[in-house]
Amino acid sequence: MSLMGSNHTYSGRYNRRLVFDLIRSSDGISRRDLVQVTGLKAQTMSNICKDLIDRSLVVETIQQEGARGAPQKRLQVRADAGCCLGIHVDRDGLLGIVCDIAGHELGRETASASLEDPSDTIRAITDITHRLRSLASDRPAWGIGIAMPTLQEAEFEHPVGPPGWDAWSRIPVAEAIEDCCGLPTIIENDATAAAVAELRVGRASGLTHYVHIFVGHGLGAGIINDSMPLQGFWNNAGEIGLLTWPAEFANPDAEGQTPFSIDELASMLSRESKEIARPGVLEQLYAQRNSVLMRWLDLNSKRLRLLVSLLENIMDPQTIIVGGHFPPALNNSLIDRAYPLLPSVSARSKRDIPRLSAGALGPEAAAIGAAMLPVIAHGSPDFRRLSSMRGRSQTMDFERRFDRVAGAPTDDDASA
C-alpha cells in the first residue's frame, strides 16, 4: 500500500504518525528519503522530524557512507522512548511480554487464572501487568495489548464463542483492564495478534498480504491485508473454526471437537488437553510415531490442503503460515503432509516463497503480537484499522486515547 502524506491543514496528526511509522519500520532513513516516500514538502518534513526529536521519540545519527562518501544523517526510533505490554490469555494460563517500542523483548512473566471466572482472570492480568512494568520501570508504558479467543459480543443463531468462555460474553474486558491497570488497552483475537507478530518480526516479515492459521484449543485465521489486520464489518474475519467440513473429513473419534485443535487430539488419545500440552509430551509421541497421532496428522493434513485452497482463492495472499500451540515437529509434519497442495490462483510458476510454511515464533506469537498493538495504535497512520471497540461497552475517542506520537487533536495541527 502506498502511504502518502498530506499537506492539508487537517492532517498534521496523520503525518506525524506516518513519518514515525516509516522511521520505526526502517533500520535508519534520511529526511530526503522520507520526503520521496511520503510526498510531503521538505519544510513540512523538517517540522515533523524536529517535533519527534524534541519529544525524544526519534534520534538522528550520522553514518559514514563508504570510505570517501559524505556522512549521511539517519533517523531512527528511540527504543527507550517507551514500552508496551502484551498478554496472551489462554486456557493454559497467561503469558505476558514487555517490549520496547522497537519491538525488542525486555522481559516476560507467566500466571495462572480461573478462566471460567473473568474477575479472577482480570485480577491476574492486573498482577502480571504490575510485574511487567517493574521490568521496564525506566520508561513510560504506552499501553497493553490483550490477545484472547474471540468473544461472543452479539446474539447469534448458534454459539460462536470458544467452549468454556461463556462467562466472558458481553463483558467490557478492555474497560475493566483499563480501570485496574491505568493504561490504554486493546483487545484482539489471538490469531490476529499472532499474525501481527509474524508480520513484524517473524516469518512474514516484509510481506503485505498473508494469512496466519492459528491452531490451539480452537482454530482461527489472522488475515493481514495491506500490512494491517483485516477485521471484517463485525470484527469477526478469520473465524475458520466455524467452517462446516465435508463428510469425508469427519472425525468419529472426536465428535464435537474443533478440527486441528489440541482438544481434538486429546479426545482421540483419551487424555486431557492440559496433559498433552505439557512440554515434551507431543514431541515424545511424535518421536514414537504414535498411531493415533499419525492418524490425526493424516486427517488434518487433508483438511489443511482444502483450507489452503479456499483461503488462497478467496484472499489471494502472498503466503499462508501455520502457527499456534503445537511444537515445530508436528507443525512441520502437518505442512509436509499437506503437499502437494490443490490448484489455486497462488500456484504460480515463479514464487520466491512457498505457498504454505510454518511460523517462526511458535506459541509465543500471540503475546508478542499483543505487545505490538499499542505501538501500532499510537504510531501508525492506519491505527483505525485495529479493533478499537472490541471488549468495550462505550464509544471511545481512539485518537485521544492513543496519542503518544500524534498528540491529542488541537487547533494547531495545521502547522505540523
Side-chain angles (χ1 to χ4, degrees), residues 19 76 89 96 143 180-181 196 248 268 291 300-301 370 386 390 409:
V19 173
Q76 293 178 310
V89 181
C180 292
C181 300
V196 169
E248 61 264 32
M268 292 177 67
S291 61
N300 281 291
S301 66
L386 296 176
R390 194 188 299 272

Side-chain angles (χ1 to χ4, degrees), residues 168-196:
W168 291 80
S169 297
R170 297 180 186 80
I171 289 181
V173 183
E175 294 166 1
I177 294 172
E178 287 178 342
D179 289 342
C180 292
C181 300
L183 291 172
T185 301
I186 306 173
I187 308 294
E188 187 54 86
N189 73 67
D190 42 16
T192 298
V196 169

Side-chain angles (χ1 to χ4, degrees), residues 19 242 323 352 407:
V19 173
L242 298 174
D352 296 326

